[in-house]
C-alpha cells in the first residue's frame, strides 16, 4: 500500500475517533468556558499563551491532558465535560443538562393560539435527538396539525417539530407553510414556475402556488419530527 494511502486512512481514523469521543467539539465548549473574556485575558487566567488558546478555539489543535486539567481547575468545570462534552456543567442550561430543551410553538401573531393545549407555549424535547441530527435548537419550532388533509400520515392535533433554517423546497418533503393566514402541513413538489402543495388525503385537492407572483404564502420550515396522539 502506498504511503499516501496509509496516511489518508490514518487521518480518517483520527477524525472518526475525534468525532466519536466528542473531542472534535472541544473548541465549542472552550468558547463557553471563556464566558465573554478575550483570548488574551483567558490565556492569562489559565497561564497559557494567547497563541495556544487561539489554536484551541479555531480547532487547529487540541490540549494535552495536563493542559485540560489546568483549564478545568482554573475555570471550575468538570474535566470530562471539557474533553468530551459528557456529564454536567454549570455553563450549559439546566434543561440541557437534564437531557431536554424547550421548543416554542410557532405563532402567526402574538394573539394566536396555535396549540391544542391550554397555556402551553413550548414543549420539552430530547436534546440527544437534536444533537444526533446536528440541528441548531434555536431554529426549531413546534406547530400543531389541524384537520385531516394529511391523513393517514398526520392526524388532527398531532405535534410537529419544524426546522426554520431549512425552507428551500425539496420534492416530496413535508413543510409547514403559511397560506391564506393559516399554518398548514403539506408535501411540496416543484413544477417549473409553480409549487404544488400536496395533501396525503386524496379527498383534498392540490394547491398550486405561482413562485413569481407575490401573495400571502411562505414556507416556514421543514418537518423534522412528528409526535402523534395515540388515542
Amino acid at each position: 500500500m502506498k504511503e499516501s494511502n496509509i496516511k489518508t486512512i490514518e487521518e480518517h481514523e483520527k477524525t472518526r475517533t475525534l468525532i466519536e469521543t466528542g473531542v472534535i467539539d472541544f473548541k465549542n465548549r472552550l468558547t463557553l468556558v471563556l464566558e465573554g473574556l478575550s483570548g488574551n485575558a483567558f490565556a492569562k487566567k489559565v497561564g497559557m499563551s494567547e497563541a495556544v488558546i487561539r489554536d484551541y478555539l479555531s480547532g487547529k489543535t487540541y490540549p494535552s491532558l495536563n493542559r485540560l486539567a489546568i483549564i478545568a481547575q482554573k475555570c471550575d468545570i468538570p474535566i470530562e465535560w471539557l474533553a468530551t462534552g459528557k456529564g454536567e456543567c454549570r455553563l450549559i442550561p439546566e434543561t440541557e443538562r437534564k437531557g431536554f430543551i424547550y421548543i416554542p410553538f410557532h405563532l402567526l401573531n402574538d394573539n394566536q393560539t396555535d396549540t391544542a393545549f391550554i397555556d402551553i407555549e413550548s414543549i420539552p424535547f430530547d436534546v440527544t435527538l437534536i444533537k444526533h441530527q446536528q440541528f441548531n435548537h434555536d431554529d426549531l419550532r413546534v406547530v400543531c396539525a389541524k384537520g385531516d388533509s394529511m391523513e393517514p400520515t398526520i392526524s388532527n392535533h398531532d405535534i410537529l417539530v419544524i426546522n426554520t433554517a431549512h425552507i428551500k423546497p425539496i420534492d416530496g418533503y413535508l413543510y409547514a407553510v403559511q397560506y391564506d393566514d393559516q399554518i398548514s402541513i403539506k408535501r411540496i413538489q416543484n413544477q417549473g414556475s409553480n409549487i404544488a402543495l400536496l395533501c396525503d388525503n386524496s379527498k383534498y385537492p392540490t394547491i398550486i402556488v405561482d413562485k413569481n407572483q407575490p401573495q400571502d404564502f411562505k414556507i416556514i420550515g421543514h418537518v423534522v419530527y412528528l409526535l402523534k396522539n395515540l388515542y
Side-chain angles (χ1 to χ4, degrees):
M1 186 179 292
K2 293 182 179 180
E3 184 178 348
S4 60
N5 291 336
I6 293 174
K7 288 183 178 179
T8 300
I9 293 173
E10 289 177 346
E11 286 298 319
H12 286 165
E13 283 298 309
K14 179 181 178 181
T15 300
R16 184 176 64 84
T17 300
L18 290 174
I19 293 172
E20 289 180 351
T21 59
V23 173
I24 200 166
D25 293 322
F26 170 77
K27 63 180 180 180
N28 299 329
R29 292 187 292 276
L30 185 61
T31 299
L32 286 176
V33 174
L34 262 65
E35 296 188 281
L37 289 178
S38 67
N40 183 48
F42 183 78
K44 291 179 179 178
K45 177 179 177 178
V46 297
M48 300 176 191
S49 72
E50 184 180 3
V52 166
I53 298 302
R54 186 165 58 246
D55 285 347
Y56 292 164
L57 290 170
S58 68
K60 183 178 179 181
T61 60
Y62 299 93
S64 64
L65 184 58
N66 181 52
R67 286 186 170 177
L68 270 173
I70 292 172
I71 295 173
Q73 182 183 42
K74 295 286 187 181
C75 300
D76 188 28
I77 54 174
I79 189 171
E80 182 185 15
W81 175 84
L82 183 61
T84 67
K86 297 177 182 178
E88 296 186 357
C89 178
R90 62 177 176 80
L91 299 177
I92 57 178
E94 181 180 0
T95 53
E96 189 165 336
R97 293 201 301 271
K98 291 181 177 179
F100 63 89
I101 62 168
Y102 282 94
I103 302 177
F105 277 84
H106 176 85
L107 304 179
L108 285 174
N109 55 62
D110 293 337
N111 297 319
Q112 181 201 28
T113 301
D114 190 44
T115 162
F117 310 103
I118 298 174
D119 296 330
I120 294 180
E121 297 180 352
S122 61
I123 64 169
F125 200 78
D126 189 339
V127 73
T128 58
L129 295 176
I130 294 169
K131 289 181 178 179
H132 176 69
Q133 297 293 341
Q134 297 183 334
F135 296 139
N136 181 342
H137 65 77
D138 290 332
D139 295 329
L140 301 180
R141 293 293 183 272
V142 174
V143 295
C144 181
K146 297 178 180 178
D148 62 349
S149 66
M150 296 303 292
E151 288 276 11
T153 310
I154 300 170
S155 303
N156 191 38
H157 291 169
D158 281 352
I159 299 298
L160 301 104
V161 178
I162 62 172
N163 186 355
T164 60
H166 291 174
I167 59 174
K168 183 178 180 179
I170 300 175
D171 286 357
Y173 280 47
L174 290 170
Y175 292 85
V177 299
Q178 181 178 328
Y179 187 72
D180 286 342
D181 293 327
Q182 293 183 13
I183 297 176
S184 301
I185 307 300
K186 294 289 183 284
R187 292 193 189 277
I188 283 185
Q189 184 180 81
N190 289 283
Q191 298 181 349
S193 61
N194 296 326
I195 292 179
L197 307 181
L198 308 176
C199 301
D200 284 3
N201 190 336
S202 60
K203 76 177 184 180
Y204 288 88
T206 296
I207 300 172
I208 303 298
V209 177
D210 189 334
K211 297 178 183 178
N212 302 315
Q213 294 297 321
Q215 52 196 300
D216 186 20
F217 166 80
K218 70 176 181 179
I219 297 174
I220 299 171
H222 171 221
V223 176
V224 292
Y225 287 107
L226 169 62
L227 311 177
K228 291 190 70 67
N229 284 319
L230 298 178
Y231 56 86

